[in-house]
Amino acid sequence: MTKNITRTLMAATFLLSCGAGVQGIEAKKVKLASQTDLHGIWQSEGYGYVVETDSKNVTLYDVTDRVCVRSTEKAEQIKHYLQDTPPDVSPDKQTALFRTTLEDYAISLQRISNLPAVCDKLTPNTPQENFEAFVSYFETHYAFFDLYNVDWASAVAEKRPLVSDDTSDADLFAIMKDLMQPMKDGHLSLSATIDGEKKIYGPNRGIITDTLSQRAKAEGTDRKGKSDAFLKKYWLEGVGEKILNGDGELAAGFFIQYGMPTEDIAYIGFLTVAGFGNGDLLNERRDLAALDKIMDKALAKFDKAGAKAVIIDLSTNLGGYDFISRKIAGRFADKKRFIYSKYAADRLNAEPHKQYVEPYSTTGFTGPVYVLTSNATVSGGEILTMALRVLPNATHAGQATRGALSDVLDKSLPNGWKLSLSNEVYTDADGKKWEGRGIKPDLPITVFDPENLTQSHIEAVKTLITHIRQNH
């Protein structure tokens, strides 16, 4: 439904302790009580949702042909979007088009008279039923078994006999982890609390996380502490001091940083494409208002300095909202251009939905633009990469992105564990699918060397600056 904003912001919370958020404008909520056409039970086409609404509440069920689990956390998000962006309901009140805030892509909901029969009794919380729910979610929704050469049915048949009523949570988690491991999908994850300890597994965490995890394990230190220390060193010292010479500006809760590394070459880096307002969740309009102010200020600074080129650094971009990515790209666009299409692979006869980048109405820059990416450019950062690549004034440099473009589909298991998987297929303007491969740059530069992550990034930016000087 959206990119995984929760993980995006949690991964960058170290920055929020450094400064306050930016206030913005929020839309007036349309209360459920006034949306009488929406009251009732609805089933999504694809995505596996059944939504029940009345004048006050939203109840959400994750449903397949043999699973029904109530999802309280996701229901709150759905309620937010229903009130912020009320669905378009057909004249006969049988179809509703559900959208997230500031997005035009819609999920079709069909009215049903009763909950599906599978929901007559919620899926029990037993090891075997949790395993079967996990399996069924993948079978029903996952889009990329072929991409990763996975024979899911055979893999499941091998693991199923290992699960019984006596299977411990730790053993069940390990079995599920083994099934996920061959799919190097950056949006796959399983999260659980086992014996009071939070566990998260993802089969493709990227070069930075893998490198830092290996170091922490070898040293017997805390991985989270290593990650926080790296991000501070990378973002505040590496970019702020070494690249921008201590004369840059931090903005958007410190998720954006910009300045002039040389007298005529500009730089702007995005750590995320979300959280620009207050750094919290579900404040999309505030994020956009904050972004607009920051981009106006940054581009005015570049114009005043006479910048001949702009480096857009997405080397470490943890993702966020697609609409934010398109808005950023619009600041560098000369005219409306087709970027990509997307469709839900788990929806029968799904039609690809096209998305475009459009020039910003006032402040922009249409000179040479260089986009710097790496394996740590993921999710919404890859959408921004695609949006910039269609511009004739843009050059893509660095290393290939992660290759995790699908929005994250979150599912709840009966025991409360959370599964995230990919059910959407993105195709770029040239008809290429980058899922699992990563978007490959036109100008290869090593951005992150595991031997020295921070210094190699600094050197990559310097190499790019030299290239710009030689060519402009």
Side-chain angles (χ1 to χ4, degrees):
M1 188 172 296
T2 59
K3 296 294 187 282
N4 199 318
I5 312 302
T6 303
R7 283 205 301 272
T8 294
L9 298 182
M10 285 179 63
T13 51
F14 79 98
L15 293 173
L16 295 180
S17 63
C18 302
V22 180
Q23 295 298 315
I25 300 173
E26 296 183 35
K28 184 178 180 180
K29 300 290 185 182
V30 180
K31 294 183 178 180
L32 290 176
S34 65
Q35 297 188 55
T36 56
D37 289 353
L38 201 60
H39 298 171
I41 305 173
W42 303 85
Q43 187 161 23
S44 64
E45 295 184 347
Y47 299 90
Y49 295 125
V50 171
V51 183
E52 188 172 13
T53 69
D54 57 27
S55 61
K56 294 182 179 180
N57 302 306
V58 172
T59 304
L60 179 72
Y61 300 89
D62 288 324
V63 176
T64 71
D65 60 356
R66 59 184 191 274
V67 174
C68 184
V69 178
R70 188 182 289 120
S71 178
T72 303
E73 181 180 339
K74 196 71 176 180
E76 287 303 309
Q77 294 183 32
I78 296 293
K79 184 177 181 179
H80 161 76
Y81 289 125
L82 291 177
Q83 294 182 128
D84 186 87
T85 308
D88 297 324
V89 180
S90 63
D92 64 2
K93 302 179 183 179
Q94 298 304 301
T95 300
L97 297 179
F98 171 85
R99 296 179 175 87
T100 56
T101 303
L102 301 175
E103 287 287 357
D104 55 8
Y105 177 81
I107 296 176
S108 178
L109 305 176
Q110 300 299 316
R111 186 184 293 277
I112 55 179
S113 56
N114 298 291
L115 290 174
V118 71
C119 291
D120 288 348
K121 182 181 180 181
L122 295 179
T123 304
N125 176 16
T126 68
Q128 290 172 316
E129 292 293 350
N130 280 296
F131 177 81
E132 294 302 331
F134 173 89
V135 168
S136 187
Y137 287 147
F138 268 98
E139 286 178 353
T140 305
H141 301 296
Y142 192 59
F144 302 112
F145 288 125
D146 290 343
L147 176 65
Y148 296 107
N149 297 312
V150 170
D151 182 343
W152 184 248
S154 295
V156 169
E158 181 181 335
K159 295 294 184 181
R160 183 175 277 122
L162 303 178
V163 183
S164 70
D165 288 341
D166 297 324
T167 302
S168 68
D169 283 351
D171 287 343
L172 183 61
F173 190 90
I175 290 167
M176 293 177 179
K177 176 180 173 180
D178 286 347
L179 283 169
M180 295 169 65
Q181 192 276 333
M183 297 172 283
K184 304 301 182 184
D185 184 333
H187 272 157
L188 277 187
S189 71
L190 179 66
S191 59
T193 300
I194 300 175
D195 296 329
E197 180 183 355
K198 290 185 178 180
K199 289 183 173 293
I200 300 178
Y201 171 72
N204 185 353
R205 302 174 300 174
I207 184 174
I208 292 175
T209 300
D210 284 346
T211 299
L212 296 176
S213 295
Q214 290 167 10
R215 289 180 187 172
K217 184 177 181 180
E219 297 169 5
T221 56
D222 176 54
R223 183 182 66 80
K224 185 180 184 301
K226 273 253 188 260
S227 296
D228 289 353
F230 162 75
L231 284 170
K232 286 182 179 179
K233 187 174 182 180
Y234 161 80
W235 192 239
L236 301 179
E237 296 178 28
V239 174
E241 298 297 328
K242 302 297 184 181
I243 293 173
L244 295 179
N245 309 307
D247 194 34
E249 297 196 41
L250 287 159
F254 287 65
F255 291 151
I256 299 174
Q257 192 165 189
Y258 63 90
M260 300 293 297
T262 73
E263 62 180 12
D264 57 358
I265 297 174
Y267 171 102
I268 185 165
F270 295 89
L271 191 66
T272 66
V273 282
F276 298 155
N278 272 13
D280 54 1
L281 303 179
L282 304 180
N283 274 310
E284 297 92 340
R285 297 181 192 279
R286 186 178 297 176
D287 282 357
L288 181 57
L291 174 68
D292 282 343
K293 292 178 182 178
I294 293 161
M295 293 302 292
D296 283 346
K297 187 176 179 182
L299 291 170
K301 180 183 181 79
F302 299 165
D303 182 64
K304 183 177 181 179
K308 65 180 181 181
V310 175
I311 295 171
I312 302 174
D313 192 353
L314 309 178
S315 298
T316 295
N317 188 286
L318 306 172
Y321 299 116
D322 287 4
F323 76 86
I324 289 286
S325 295
R326 297 193 300 271
K327 290 293 186 180
I328 293 170
R331 293 288 187 148
F332 304 94
D334 59 339
K335 66 178 184 179
K336 182 177 180 179
R337 295 178 184 273
F338 171 54
I339 312 170
Y340 62 87
S341 64
K342 62 179 274 189
Y343 68 91
D346 57 354
R347 179 184 178 183
L348 186 64
N349 300 320
E351 290 290 330
H353 177 81
K354 292 185 176 181
Q355 292 286 13
Y356 298 83
V357 60
E358 299 189 48
Y360 196 76
S361 58
T362 55
T363 313
F365 180 89
T366 55
V369 171
Y370 286 80
V371 188
L372 190 64
T373 68
S374 79
N375 176 258
T377 310
V378 65
S379 194
E382 298 181 273
I383 304 305
L384 178 50
T385 302
M386 282 199 299
L388 291 165
R389 280 168 58 96
V390 304
L391 308 181
N393 54 316
T395 300
H396 181 192
Q399 294 170 298
T401 63
R402 183 81 58 82
L405 289 86
S406 168
D407 289 2
V408 173
L409 182 66
D410 291 322
K411 292 295 171 183
S412 297
L413 298 181
N415 60 3
W417 295 0
K418 303 299 180 185
L419 172 67
S420 298
L421 47 77
S422 305
N423 73 313
E424 294 176 343
V425 178
Y426 280 68
T427 304
D428 77 3
D430 295 324
K432 295 178 180 176
K433 296 180 175 66
W434 296 107
E435 193 79 32
R437 298 187 295 146
I439 306 170
K440 293 178 172 57
D442 302 310
L443 178 61
I445 299 172
T446 298
V447 178
F448 288 119
D449 181 343
E451 295 300 317
N452 194 330
L453 294 169
T454 303
Q455 187 59 35
S456 60
H457 172 256
I458 295 169
E459 294 302 323
V461 174
K462 289 181 177 179
T463 298
L464 188 52
I465 289 172
T466 299
H467 174 86
I468 295 170
R469 284 175 170 165
Q470 292 173 345
N471 289 273
H472 299 283

